[in-house]
Amino acid sequence: MIWCHMVPFDDKLRCRAVEYVTGGIPALLSSWEHTKGLREAQPDLAADDAVDILAAWAHLQRFVPEHVPRDVRESISTIVDQDGALMAGLIGEALDPSGWLEAAEALENATDETFCDVPAISSAALELFCQLDTADLAIWAAERLGQGDKVSELREEIGRCWGCFLMMSGIFAPAAGYAKAMLHAHRPDLLAFDGELFTITEKYTLLADEDVLVPFGHEEVTAITEEQYARFCEVLLQRRRPIISAWPEVRDRVAIAAETKSEGGMFGGQRVEFAAEDGSWHAWMGIPASVLDANELLSLWIRDRSGIPIGEGEVVLYGESFPISDGRALIPLSELRRLQDMQKGPSRSDTIRVVRNGRQSIGKVVKPERKHGDDQS
Amino acid sequence: MGLKLATYAGALANPREIRVFGDWVAACAHLCDHVLTMPEAAAWAEVLGEEAAAVILSNAGFRLAKAVWAEGNEGEAAEALYKMYSDALCKALDSAARTGWHWADRWDTDAQKALGVSGVLVLFDAHKVRSAMLPGWGCPLRTSRAKGISSVGQRRRNPLPRQGEDDKEAISSVVTGWGMRRKPDRFDPKAKPAPETEALKRFRIFRKCAQSVRAELLEAYYSTEGKLDASSGEGLRGAIADFATWTRLVGEG
């Protein structure tokens, strides 16, 4: 027991990360014993297992061999040697890169200030990061087993996901802790061991860098200026250059994504601000240019004259009232009758009422305040 | 009369029995947002069995979601499905007590989480079940949609806020996953898969739930510099049960 307390945290973390991968292997192999024979009747079950087994086998290659229990390493290697070709032929059945791209886009929208469901965003970021890694690993395993022709199309499609990951890696930042934990377990000579495996593993390093690169919490995303965003992209691309050059299809994707952003995709939305006539509060909301599904929510942020979030109260906008909690009111888009008008630009006649402790104050649309980092000229 | 709430009085109830959700509104909101919302609904259909699947994977699911919020109903329309849901939750709590798969919640230290051998994850405190889900099967991004849709009036207008507009009513194919694993399956209510296939499907649900929980625990372990070590589901650290062990554990329940 005393020994346990003396083990450095880094070593414990390495053990945990290896255990995370090895712990799932007996369950996978026992499932494959059955689903392999059912691949005609239940191809989805067999294909799912094939992807997970190939990915787990590939994942083990990232670790120092001595850190992986021998029985686990041998049991999965035996099955992969035996059924690897069959598995490689099945993985296309289980993976849907376009579904991943759609989900990543939804995550980007959710990370915008209009949403702040932190546990949901964290879960989604982690799940999508793991899904991309699993697909990469399964494809790498198939190629390593000499079955590259069975996954060549899929590899191209995954390249599009990589492009998206590179351009929007900030949205995966909630998974940075998982990535850092895993990095503790990776072999230091991975590049010399296998360049391709090193390349697909680089996304862990990129993600681990994210919390350094992203200087703003998502609450304040709309306060970033274009100039700041350009600087951020420059740093990001510098760090990603080696990986982009290794994946030509990713380079093309990045170019397309950069063009889209410069055409205003990211900055086409509106920031609408309101101020109380008596100066007692200030409120603002970001309205995205697209992404308008009636089920989505806008956050209206409300601060008092000292900049402190208004804890409780009620806000009335266009005749509808919404509760204020912790400085924010959530407003379903479906409730906003004048949304289209607001998107075209705020009007001076738009008013807002805030009710606190039974007292009501009226505010009007104001010109957006300068934010830290805005152009001062 | 309204929905009659179930209680759990097993080994994880501390100090006394806990209600399966605080009130009928919370119970029905969770039924709608997890059991009746795709893609998680497809997995719930497997976990809850044939009778529930017939409701969940058909237009009847949407009709039920509308009915539970109707004026004067107070969730009574959901009685049968709620019974199956609450039974599954109580079984999950019991099996977690046996396997040791329960731990303090990272976000709220007054709450605990428990993972059942079915894959059902239950979030609960000393008084009530707060939430229950099949982790890794629902699309977390859809949970944002239900934020702010909290009043009965809002639910009346939008009974399944997490469901996409396009798949609210007719469910001719079932989306069984999301992201990279989004694969639509044709749903045939008359199809009777072999018992072994059914067991393998349920095992897959459990396996994915367990791995999803383990990824979050690893992330939490790193982010808290190991502080969650003592209470973070030690039983889930090692190997996930293989098919034979899992079958035995399910049999014990």
Side-chain angles (χ1 to χ4, degrees), chain A residues 13-23 63 67-69 182 185:
Chain A
L13 195 57
R14 173 175 54 74
C15 290
R16 290 280 177 134
V18 173
E19 271 174 1
Y20 169 74
V21 179
T22 57
F63 301 141
H67 292 162
V68 180
M182 275 296 170

Side-chain angles (χ1 to χ4, degrees), chain B residues 74-111:
Chain B
E74 296 189 345
E76 198 173 343
E79 194 77 58
L81 191 59
Y82 170 78
K83 170 85 171 60
M84 295 180 234
Y85 182 47
S86 58
D87 283 352
L89 268 50
C90 293
K91 273 189 182 175
L93 289 168
D94 272 338
S95 85
R98 285 197 306 278
T99 55
W101 297 343
H102 53 94
W103 60 96
D105 181 45
R106 176 185 177 186
W107 307 98
D108 180 353
T109 47
D110 288 339

Side-chain angles (χ1 to χ4, degrees), chain B residues 105-168:
Chain B
D105 181 45
R106 176 185 177 186
W107 307 98
D108 180 353
T109 47
D110 288 339
Q112 283 199 73
K113 280 181 171 173
L115 181 73
V117 289
S118 55
V120 174
L121 180 72
V122 185
L123 175 68
F124 64 105
D125 59 31
H127 308 287
K128 62 181 183 294
V129 167
R130 293 185 186 180
S131 186
M133 68 206 76
L134 291 168
W137 290 92
C139 174
L141 296 170
R142 289 185 165 200
T143 63
S144 294
R145 289 182 180 167
K147 281 234 161 191
I149 311 281
S150 52
S151 72
V152 174
Q154 285 169 318
R155 283 277 176 181
R156 249 170 228 158
R157 292 197 291 276
N158 190 3
L160 295 178
R162 291 186 187 179
Q163 188 87 292
E165 283 295 333
D166 49 346
D167 50 12
K168 268 214 160 99

Side-chain angles (χ1 to χ4, degrees), chain A residues 235-248:
Chain A
V235 178
L236 207 66
L237 285 170
Q238 258 171 22
R239 290 188 183 230
R240 280 145 178 71
R241 195 153 290 141
I243 201 164
I244 290 170
S245 60
W247 289 69

Side-chain angles (χ1 to χ4, degrees), chain B residues 167-185:
Chain B
D167 50 12
K168 268 214 160 99
E169 290 187 48
I171 299 172
S172 55
S173 67
V174 176
V175 176
T176 53
W178 69 282
M180 194 72 84
R181 299 293 180 101
R182 185 198 61 175
K183 282 286 172 186
D185 274 356

Side-chain angles (χ1 to χ4, degrees), chain A residues 307-325:
Chain A
I308 296 168
I310 290 177
E312 282 182 1
E314 195 179 67
V315 58
V316 183
L317 190 60
Y318 302 126
E320 300 280 350
S321 78
F322 308 94
I324 301 170
S325 172

